[in-house]
Amino acid sequence: MGLISRGFTGRRREGAEDLPPGQYLTHDFPVLAAGPTQRVPTDDWKFTITTETGARHEWDWAAFTALPRDEVTVDLHCVTRWSKLHTDWEGVSLDTLLADVETSAHYALVESYGGYTTNLPLEDLTDGQAWVAFRYDGEDLDPEHGGPARLLVPHLYLWKSAKWVRGITLSDHDEPGFWESVGYHNYGDPWREQRYWE
Amino acid sequence: MTDDPHGETHLDGNAAAGTLAELFTFDVTVAVGRCAGCGRVSTVADTRSYLDGPGMVVRCTGCDSVLLRVVSSPERTWLDLRGLAYLEVDHVTEG
Amino acid sequence: MSWRVARVSGLRDETPSARTLVLDVEDWPGHVAGQHVDIRLTAADGYTATRSYSIASAPDVERVEVTVERLDDGEVSPYLTRDVIVGDQLEVRGPIGGWFVWRPEEEAPVQLVGGGSGFVPLMSMVRTHAARSSSAPVRLVYSVRAPDAVLYAGELARPPGHVQVTYAYTRAVPEGWPDRPRRVDAELLAAATWPADRRPRSYVCGPTGFVEAVADLLVAAGHDPRTVRTERFGPTGGTR
Ligand SMILES: Cc1cc2nc3c(=O)[nH]c(=O)nc-3n(C[C@H](O)[C@H](O)[C@H](O)COP(=O)(O)OP(=O)(O)OC[C@H]3O[C@@H](n4cnc5c(N)ncnc54)[C@H](O)[C@@H]3O)c2cc1C
Ligand SMILES: [Zn+2]
């Protein structure tokens, strides 16, 4: 540990019960940027699921927003150590999007407008664990927070909840994404504090 | 969140120099690099860096593709340079 | 490059919201005008926060000055501008950056355009220019929100020879000022900076939006983009 700075406490780090290890509570919604904010008009927006056989399932904005949607309240845990509790989202469950998709793949690579990628096991996207979310706190999702639509996988660290999501490719092999290929944990479970490569 | 009206948060490659100085014995920001994406040749300082995410990302000013990434844990640092076709470093002259 | 211990040997309030810290740094290797340092603070529980600050002073042995503008909701700047007292120790890494620098050997005309606390590294250039009696002609444009936010106002009131200072007040102007509050625009730059055919070296520093706008205006006015060096100030946080 470095030299201690007299009287320095840092941003008030509010602990809370039920927070994953090493996390502290925040009440605002920090924006973390790894690149320029993408501004994708909903007229141009498309979301595509591609299977291991190359079959494609595509939605434009009208078709996507016509799907049944869920309202969910979830906790967010960012690997930069802030957690935000009880956030309200509206989105389409991946169970709905995957309903007609024929696949036996085990892995998903999520891709975003702007080139960001993140990977996770397909089973982490199903059974009511993940959404393509397009409304936050009663309003359309801001581009800064990933609008028009972002992935929401709240049981994993927030870098898995790709902003500006444009598609998911299903595959038999696992391909590390943007952060997973340079030090961040391949799975990223906040409760097991899986931050970095082991 | 920033109050930058342009809504962009990038800085220059220069802002990344402190972290990079822990990894290299020379000042990487004055080294000249070629973007593997569009071929633009520039000093590493003359780029866009994003420092407030989970790691540090330096992008090409020409095409926005990623030139380098740095992630640090308490124990170690990972560096990904695959977006740079090459880096050209002047030898330090005395004086 | 590793962290060095710096002892705070002096404090100076520059404006109601900005303070200069004089740091005596162990084994300081010296710096070039325009470079910055990273300052790391560590809490008793091991939590750390690191931020970048430009060096405001001219090169000197074992001593550097930084000027910090307080952001009220900030994590580090309120500590540095309010809590630090003379005798405290801080950790410093630097000097950093060999790109946004001006060396007194250079003779080309110099054009400095700073916005807000982005003026700090430009002041290091002005001070280096004076300390080394450089004959390079300097034109300086300082964009600042109000008269009481001007850093180093006393020193700038008597600028060193060869340095011409123009202020652009963005929100409030001094009494009797002939102009309204305004942002740096093409017209102001045309009047207050070197024409492109003098082939000046330009240094532009400030918030990202300001730097982008000014650099674009300079290039539009015919300056070679390779002669326009920029430094964007912005969030340098990231906690690890
Ligand atoms: C190369 C470089 C040199 C710098 N030199 C100086 C200097 O000489 N003097 C100086 O005062 N600052 C300088 N800065 C900015 C400095 O590093 C910090 O970002 C600033 O002091 C705020 O830190 P903080 O911890 O108080 O705020 P944080 O806790 O990091 O941020 C608080 C809030 O303010 C926003 N914010 C942070 N920084 C800025 C900013 N600069 N402008 C607008 N909004 C911001 C954040 O997004 C956040 O919402 C420099 C930055 C860089 C990259
Ligand atoms: Zn490029």
Side-chain angles (χ1 to χ4, degrees):
Chain A
M1 192 193 299
L3 177 85
I4 297 194
S5 319
R6 184 191 52 81
F8 177 70
T9 54
R11 187 157 282 132
R12 203 159 54 92
R13 274 156 290 136
E14 206 180 315
E17 270 174 59
D18 296 343
L19 279 190
Q23 295 294 109
Y24 58 90
L25 212 53
T26 178
H27 298 286
D28 42 296
F29 194 167
V31 174
L32 302 191
T37 301
Q38 301 296 310
R39 294 172 199 278
V40 188
T42 49
D43 283 351
D44 301 339
W45 185 90
K46 288 208 164 45
F47 180 77
T48 311
I49 296 179
T50 310
T51 71
E52 70 276 24
T53 63
R56 289 161 60 88
H57 301 254
E58 194 171 87
W59 293 264
D60 62 12
W61 189 253
F64 169 72
T65 50
L67 294 170
R69 51 180 90 168
D70 293 351
E71 284 182 28
V72 292
T73 299
V74 299
D75 300 340
L76 308 178
H77 306 297
C78 180
V79 72
T80 60
R81 297 188 181 274
W82 57 264
S83 292
K84 185 171 172 62
L85 304 181
H86 317 305
T87 59
D88 297 321
W89 299 83
E90 234 177 281
V92 176
S93 165
L94 261 293
D95 294 317
T96 305
L97 292 162
L98 287 164
D100 297 327
V101 175
E102 191 92 26
T103 182
S104 59
H106 290 295
Y107 300 103
L109 183 68
V110 181
E111 289 141 324
S112 295
Y113 289 95
Y116 183 78
T117 57
T118 185
N119 60 305
L120 63 178
L122 180 55
E123 63 180 21
D124 283 84
L125 288 176
T126 54
D127 289 334
Q129 297 183 93
W131 297 266
V132 173
F134 58 98
R135 287 174 67 79
Y136 168 71
D137 217 7
E139 304 199 18
D140 291 345
L141 186 59
D142 278 346
E144 279 73 20
H145 290 297
R150 76 180 294 167
L151 189 68
L152 180 65
V153 201
H155 69 290
L156 300 177
Y157 280 126
L158 196 58
W159 87 78
K160 299 279 184 183
S161 294
K163 294 193 245 185
W164 314 300
V165 67
R166 71 181 302 168
I168 297 177
T169 301
L170 305 177
S171 166
D172 295 326
H173 47 258
D174 196 10
E175 186 187 326
F178 186 89
W179 290 122
E180 292 86 354
S181 60
V182 59
Y184 278 105
H185 198 277
N186 200 49
Y187 185 63
D189 179 353
W191 296 96
R192 287 184 278 163
E193 212 174 352
Q194 293 173 333
R195 295 179 196 275
Y196 304 104
W197 290 358
E198 274 148 4
Chain B
M1 251 167 265
T2 62
D3 40 18
D4 179 349
H6 298 247
E8 291 304 347
T9 55
H10 68 271
L11 308 175
D12 311 270
N14 198 24
T19 301
L20 294 170
E22 303 236 305
L23 301 172
F24 295 92
T25 57
F26 56 93
D27 181 358
V28 185
T29 61
V30 294
V32 169
R34 183 173 194 270
C35 170
C38 71
R40 185 175 189 270
V41 174
S42 75
T43 63
V44 173
D46 187 14
T47 55
R48 301 185 167 165
S49 70
Y50 296 82
L51 306 187
D52 55 354
M56 207 172 79
V57 180
V58 175
R59 289 176 181 265
C60 172
T61 316
C63 71
D64 264 334
S65 57
V66 176
L67 301 176
L68 68 86
R69 281 177 283 184
V70 184
V71 168
S72 293
S73 79
E75 287 82 32
R76 58 188 65 85
T77 291
W78 293 270
L79 174 65
D80 182 316
L81 293 168
R82 76 184 100 159
L84 278 168
Y86 67 75
L87 258 188
E88 178 184 301
V89 185
D90 285 348
H91 293 161
V92 179
T93 46
E94 291 305 313
Chain C
M1 190 180 289
S2 54
W3 294 95
R4 299 168 203 268
V5 174
R7 183 181 164 277
V8 179
S9 66
L11 294 168
R12 257 193 334 265
D13 284 329
E14 303 286 355
T15 71
S17 60
R19 167 173 282 184
T20 292
L21 286 76
V22 184
L23 305 173
D24 291 339
V25 191
E26 251 169 40
D27 303 321
W28 181 248
H31 73 274
V32 183
Q35 288 187 302
H36 65 272
V37 293
D38 287 348
I39 295 185
R40 176 166 76 180
L41 303 179
T42 304
D45 63 358
Y47 174 88
T48 64
T50 303
R51 298 289 186 274
S52 299
Y53 292 98
S54 297
I55 301 173
S57 47
D60 185 5
V61 196
E62 296 229 327
R63 171 161 292 191
V64 285
E65 296 185 10
V66 296
T67 303
V68 180
E69 179 79 40
R70 180 166 56 247
L71 295 179
D72 284 321
D73 63 341
E75 178 165 46
V76 169
S77 61
Y79 178 84
L80 293 177
T81 53
R82 276 202 196 110
D83 301 344
V84 162
I85 54 174
V86 171
D88 277 351
Q89 292 189 325
L90 302 170
E91 283 181 299
V92 167
R93 174 170 72 186
I96 296 166
W99 171 249
F100 191 79
V101 296
W102 179 76
R103 294 190 163 80
E105 304 81 77
E106 292 171 24
E107 284 159 10
V110 183
Q111 178 155 290
L112 308 175
V113 187
S117 56
F119 180 59
V120 173
L122 308 184
M123 190 62 185
S124 176
M125 297 178 188
V126 170
R127 287 171 166 163
T128 303
H129 185 277
R132 300 285 293 273
S133 310
S134 162
S135 57
V138 178
R139 290 188 174 178
L140 162 64
V141 175
Y142 186 178
S143 166
V144 60
R145 62 179 185 272
D148 67 359
V150 174
L151 300 171
Y152 325 114
E155 239 175 301
L156 290 176
R158 296 165 268 101
H162 309 292
V163 179
Q164 174 195 306
V165 184
T166 306
Y167 292 96
Y169 296 99
T170 58
R171 271 184 240 155
V173 298
E175 256 187 58
W177 189 253
D179 209 351
R180 64 198 149 77
R182 66 188 292 182
R183 297 193 169 275
V184 171
D185 55 17
E187 187 196 358
L188 187 143
L189 285 177
T193 61
W194 298 107
D197 59 14
R198 289 290 308 271
R199 312 204 101 264
R201 173 69 74 79
S202 303
Y203 296 87
V204 184
C205 184
T208 298
F210 172 86
V211 169
E212 226 107 285
V214 171
D216 287 350
L217 288 170
L218 290 175
V219 171
H223 294 277
D224 181 345
R226 285 169 302 182
T227 64
V228 180
R229 300 204 165 180
T230 58
E231 174 119 292
R232 294 166 174 84
F233 275 18
T236 50
T239 46
R240 49 184 86 103

